[in-house]
Amino acid sequence: MTLPIISADERLAQRKGIKGCIFGRSGEGKTSLLWTLDATTTLFMDLEAGDLAVEGWEGDTLRPRTWKECRDFAVFIGGPNPALRDDQPYSQAHFDEVCSRYGDPANLKKYHTVFIDSITVAGRLCFQWCRGQPEATSDKTGKPDIRGAYGLHGREMIGWLTHLQHTRGKHVWFVGILDEKLDDFNRKVFQPQIDGAKTGLELPGIVDQVITLAAIPDANGQLQRAFVCQTLNPWSYPAKDRSGRLDMVEAPHLGRLMEKIQSPGRPAPQRLNYPEIDIEVPPAPVSTSHVNPSTN
């Protein structure tokens, strides 16, 4: 048995999927982005039951109602994690049990994109499930332990997102609501609307792309819907572009955005060359104090 090194040619030939989150205020048109995707190769995971905006969309839909169904779908589409024990979710045993109910995972081969609307509702389903687990009950008093529930909720959500992130052959997009709040210094900040702090803090480090769908004024001052794609933006919207191929503001068309991220005709991210920084370092202050020699 040789060391399983993947050559550069093999890695470049592999089909890669984009994993990303799209956040925006309520009513910004996040669900309507389905219209910009190919209906024949897109699976819509409708957690919000809010598909009125895409009533005529002709793609297939999945409607989980419980957190267990969300976990089952993740292992069914992503396969088992060989590092996990049989008693853990996303393990080989979990995968085999789900396949015995859902059939052959090859039936999902025709779907290139999974559109999950929304991660906000997924977090609520997860927290509801967590509150009924033994970890959410105090061993000493037998009363509900909200801290234990939130701790379990963070681990469950991160595990679910990480497993979907490792589904290499498919694009997975999570949609979520963006909240606008004021920090302790009365500054405006934007945060994803997800129960618990752990998921919102770790989510940008898991997915490839974080995009904010927002109304941005054009040159004439008219508001236009647009994707904000880069971390350094003047509006302080949450954003991240791991591909390095996106501009700060892109048209709100998810299909064309994915083509741009994966387009071989566009230059790949280059190694950054930072200019030398010429900073004059002030001399160290000279101490004016002196120590008198000790006398016997």
Side-chain angles (χ1 to χ4, degrees), residues 200-220:
L201 291 174
E202 298 192 21
L203 179 61
I206 296 175
V207 297
D208 303 316
Q209 309 292 137
V210 177
I211 294 171
T212 294
L213 178 62
I216 305 297
D218 59 14
N220 299 321

Side-chain angles (χ1 to χ4, degrees), residues 109-183:
K109 188 176 181 179
K110 69 173 185 177
Y111 302 115
H112 298 167
T113 304
V114 180
F115 189 88
I116 300 176
D117 186 14
S118 67
I119 191 174
T120 302
V121 177
R124 294 171 187 165
L125 292 177
C126 178
F127 188 65
Q128 179 65 25
W129 177 86
C130 291
R131 293 188 65 179
Q133 302 308 304
E135 292 183 44
T137 302
S138 173
D139 294 334
K140 295 182 179 180
T141 64
K143 296 181 179 180
D145 182 2
I146 195 67
R147 291 182 299 177
Y150 273 116
L152 179 60
H153 172 267
R155 295 191 297 273
E156 282 287 327
M157 287 295 295
I158 296 302
W160 184 64
L161 292 167
T162 302
H163 193 79
L164 288 171
Q165 166 70 17
H166 284 78
T167 307
R168 296 188 62 85
K170 298 187 186 298
H171 309 301
V172 181
W173 288 96
F174 304 93
V175 172
I177 298 175
L178 189 66
D179 282 341
E180 180 180 330
K181 299 181 179 180
L182 295 177
D183 64 8

Side-chain angles (χ1 to χ4, degrees), residues 209-273:
Q209 309 292 137
V210 177
I211 294 171
T212 294
L213 178 62
I216 305 297
D218 59 14
N220 299 321
Q222 300 295 322
L223 293 178
Q224 303 287 337
R225 292 169 65 247
F227 284 150
V228 180
C229 306
Q230 293 184 5
T231 304
L232 300 179
N233 63 83
W235 308 281
S236 299
Y237 286 130
K240 164 192 167 182
D241 175 26
R242 185 172 283 172
S243 74
R245 291 186 169 97
L246 300 180
D247 297 325
M248 181 186 297
V249 177
E250 296 280 354
H253 192 292
L254 190 53
R256 289 201 292 263
L257 190 83
M258 289 193 292
E259 291 177 0
K260 187 172 183 179
I261 292 173
Q262 296 188 313
S263 174
R266 291 185 60 84
Q270 301 295 319
R271 184 182 298 276
L272 296 177
N273 293 319

